[in-house]
Amino acid sequence: MARIILNALAVLAALAAAFYQFYLKDMLVILGYNRVVQRIGNERCQKVPGLRACEKISLHQPSGQLFLACSEPDRRILWLPAALYLNPAGASQDYVAIYDPKTTKITKLKLSGVDDGFDFSSHGMDVVPSASNPSELFVYLVNHRPPKGLDARQWGADSVLEIFKHKIGDDKLTHIKTIQSSLMIAPNDVVGSDDGTSLYFTNDNGQKTGIKRQIGVFLKRKATSVVYCHIQEGCKYAARNMFSNNGIVRASNGTFYVAHTLSGGLSILEEQSDNTLVITDHIQTGESMLLVPLSETKLLGHYELIFIIFVLTNAYAEYPMDNLSLDSEGHVWAAGFPNLLEIFNRYFVDPSILTASCALRFSINTGPNAFYGEKYKVDKVFEDDGRIASGITSVVHDAQRKKLFLHGILASHLTICDMP
C-alpha cells in the first residue's frame, strides 16, 4: 500500500510540475504575477501635478492642447461604477480640463447650459473638431450619474452620454444634449461624429450590478457591446456578443478599434451603411516576458487566487488594456496593465500604492515577416514600475511634437515624456 501511495504522489508531483511549466506559469505572467517590469521610454519624462485622476486624454492636434476628463483619487475609490464602487458620496464633482504643453497652463472648463444641480462623474471622452467650423470642437463625455432616489449599490449608476461644444480659446463647455438609453448599461468609452449628432460607445459589461455581472467574468460571457446613438433616432446595438470591451477609437477611413481588458488584444471593426459594426480582424499582444523565480514570490492573496481560477478556466488576456488613441501617423496607442492583479487587489483600494504602467503601439507590419501573415506590429514603447507613471488608463502620442502623454483614473499627476 505504501508503495502505491508513493507512486501516486510521484505521478501527481510530475503532473503538477508539468502543469506549472507548460500552462500555469504563462497564465500567471499574463496576469502580471511575478512579471519583471522593464524601464522603457521613461528616461526623459516630467510630471504635471495639477491634474489628478484623469481617466481619459484627448489631443487637439492643431494646437497641441490636451483635454482631460478628471476627478480626485479619493472620490474615485468611492464612486467608480466600472469597478462596482458605488458610494454616491464620491460622485458628481468631476471636471474637464485643458492642458497647454507650450505654456503649462491648466484650465478647468466651466459647464454652460446645464442646471445648477447638474451631476457629472467622468469616464470616457472624445474631442472632435467640427466639420463646419474648425475653431469649434464637439466634446463627448461618459457621465456616470448617481441614481436619484434609488440605492446605487442595488441599481448601479444612472449612466448617460453628454454632448458639449467648445470654442477654441474659451474657458467653457456649452451643453448640447444628454443622451439616455436602456442600452447604456455600463458605458466606458466613446467616439463622436464631427457634426455633434451621433456617437458610438462601448459597454464594458452586460449588467449594471448583481451576481450575473460578477460571475460573468469568470464564465467569460460575451456580454459586452458597442452601441450607436443618434440624437434624433435614438440608440441601437452596433456590435454585440463581445468580451471585456473597453477603449474605442475610430480612424479617418471609418475603421474602428476596440480594446479588451480581460481577453487581451485589439478588435478591428468596419462600419456598415446601417451604422452597425462588423469585426474583421483581431490583433494579439503576446510577448516574451521575464519571470521572477517562484521561490522568491510572496504567498498568493485571496484576490489573486480568484483571478488565477478564472485564468485556468478561460483563455486570459495576453496583455490587459484600457483606453485607445490614434496619432497623426495612423498608429493606435493603448494604455496597458503590466500587473492587473495589483490594480484590482491593491491600487483600487489605495491609489498611493505605485503600480506599473505601459504604453503599446499598434501599426501595420512592413517588415519581412509580413509576408508570412503577421499583418500588424505591436511595440511596447513605454514601461515603468509606477514611480514615473502609475496605473495609467490613457496614453496619447503627439507625433508632430514628439511627446507622449500618460494619465490614469486614480493617478496623482499627468506624465509627459519626450519621444525620440
Side-chain angles (χ1 to χ4, degrees):
M1 179 63 72
R3 182 181 295 275
I4 293 174
I5 293 174
L6 287 174
N7 288 339
L9 289 175
V11 171
L12 287 174
L15 290 173
F19 180 68
Y20 171 76
Q21 180 65 31
F22 296 107
Y23 189 78
L24 179 58
K25 181 176 72 173
D26 289 341
M27 292 301 100
L28 290 174
V29 174
I30 288 167
L31 284 173
Y33 192 75
N34 297 335
R35 177 186 284 150
V36 175
V37 175
Q38 302 171 325
R39 290 173 55 88
I40 300 174
N42 65 350
E43 298 84 6
R44 297 185 296 165
C45 301
Q46 60 177 307
K47 300 177 182 179
V48 179
L51 295 161
R52 293 158 56 89
C54 303
E55 201 275 341
K56 185 69 184 289
I57 310 171
S58 290
L59 170 69
H60 180 243
Q61 184 65 63
S63 67
Q65 293 183 345
L66 300 180
F67 287 72
L68 305 100
C70 305
S71 183
E72 287 292 333
D74 58 349
R75 294 206 301 267
R76 293 280 198 202
I77 60 175
L78 295 176
W79 183 256
L80 186 57
L84 292 182
Y85 294 171
L86 297 169
N87 183 347
S92 307
Q93 305 172 56
D94 293 354
Y95 63 94
V96 175
I98 294 177
Y99 176 73
D100 189 339
K102 292 181 182 177
T103 64
T104 70
K105 181 181 178 182
I106 297 171
T107 303
K108 293 186 178 181
L109 298 177
K110 304 170 186 175
L111 300 184
S112 173
V114 298
D115 298 333
D116 292 338
F118 182 79
D119 293 325
F120 178 52
S121 295
S122 66
H123 201 135
M125 175 180 65
D126 192 24
V127 178
V128 185
S130 168
S132 60
N133 185 354
S135 67
E136 290 185 338
L137 309 175
F138 293 106
V139 180
Y140 299 84
L141 296 162
V142 175
N143 183 7
H144 294 302
R145 306 182 303 189
K148 295 187 182 297
L150 297 172
D151 183 353
R153 292 176 177 85
Q154 179 181 354
W155 296 97
D158 178 23
S159 300
V160 296
L161 272 294
E162 309 285 2
I163 305 177
F164 287 85
K165 183 178 284 188
H166 172 75
K167 186 175 181 180
I168 296 174
D170 279 358
D171 63 351
K172 66 181 181 180
L173 294 173
T174 301
H175 192 249
I176 297 176
K177 182 77 173 179
T178 296
I179 300 180
Q180 298 175 274
S181 171
S182 60
L183 302 186
M184 292 178 189
I185 302 165
N188 187 297
D189 198 15
V190 58
V191 292
S193 63
D194 59 8
D195 61 1
T197 65
S198 63
L199 57 86
Y200 289 85
F201 71 88
T202 54
N203 277 314
D204 61 30
N205 212 289
Q207 291 77 35
K208 286 181 177 289
T209 60
I211 188 66
K212 199 172 182 181
R213 172 179 173 129
Q214 294 170 10
I215 67 173
V217 173
F218 298 96
L219 298 176
K220 204 177 180 183
R221 293 180 63 247
K222 293 185 176 181
T224 65
S225 58
V226 181
V227 176
Y228 170 79
C229 295
H230 190 280
I231 60 173
Q232 295 178 340
E233 300 168 4
C235 301
K236 68 177 184 180
Y237 283 111
R240 305 182 70 176
N241 301 318
M242 302 175 75
F243 179 64
S244 191
N245 284 2
N246 198 309
I248 184 171
V249 69
R250 173 170 49 193
S252 57
N253 64 358
T255 298
F256 285 74
Y257 301 88
V258 173
H260 306 287
T261 302
L262 297 176
S263 62
L266 215 62
S267 286
I268 301 175
L269 305 95
E270 296 298 332
E271 188 176 22
Q272 307 301 297
S273 59
D274 61 354
N275 302 119
T276 59
L277 301 174
V278 174
I279 298 175
T280 59
D281 212 341
H282 188 80
I283 311 174
Q284 292 291 79
T285 56
E287 61 169 355
S288 176
M289 304 176 198
L290 299 175
L291 275 177
V292 174
L294 189 64
S295 60
E296 297 179 12
T297 66
K298 58 180 177 57
L299 293 176
L300 289 172
H302 174 69
Y303 216 110
E304 284 92 340
L305 287 173
I306 291 176
F307 268 87
I308 289 167
I309 291 170
F310 169 70
V311 166
L312 298 180
T313 55
N314 302 272
Y316 202 82
E318 292 195 359
Y319 220 116
M321 296 188 300
D322 202 304
N323 285 311
L324 302 176
S325 65
L326 194 73
D327 69 18
S328 59
E329 296 177 340
H331 300 144
V332 177
W333 291 75
F337 301 126
N339 194 330
L340 193 63
L341 290 173
E342 190 171 65
I343 292 283
F344 281 104
N345 201 32
R346 299 181 181 87
Y347 186 60
F348 278 2
V349 177
D350 182 1
S352 67
I353 293 174
L354 299 181
T355 187
S357 297
C358 77
L360 304 175
R361 179 180 60 202
F362 296 80
S363 56
I364 301 296
N365 185 9
T366 57
N369 52 354
F371 179 79
Y372 300 100
E374 295 184 22
K375 295 187 291 184
Y376 306 100
K377 184 180 179 183
V378 184
D379 298 303
K380 184 160 55 175
V381 177
F382 175 92
E383 188 167 55
D384 179 70
D385 63 5
R387 282 177 283 187
I388 302 297
S390 182
I392 67 165
T393 56
S394 188
V395 55
V396 165
H397 178 229
D398 186 340
Q400 177 184 340
R401 301 168 183 87
K402 299 185 184 301
K403 299 286 185 182
L404 192 68
F405 302 95
L406 311 103
H407 216 315
I409 195 166
L410 294 173
S412 62
H413 59 270
L414 169 68
T415 300
I416 306 174
C417 300
D418 293 328
M419 296 286 288

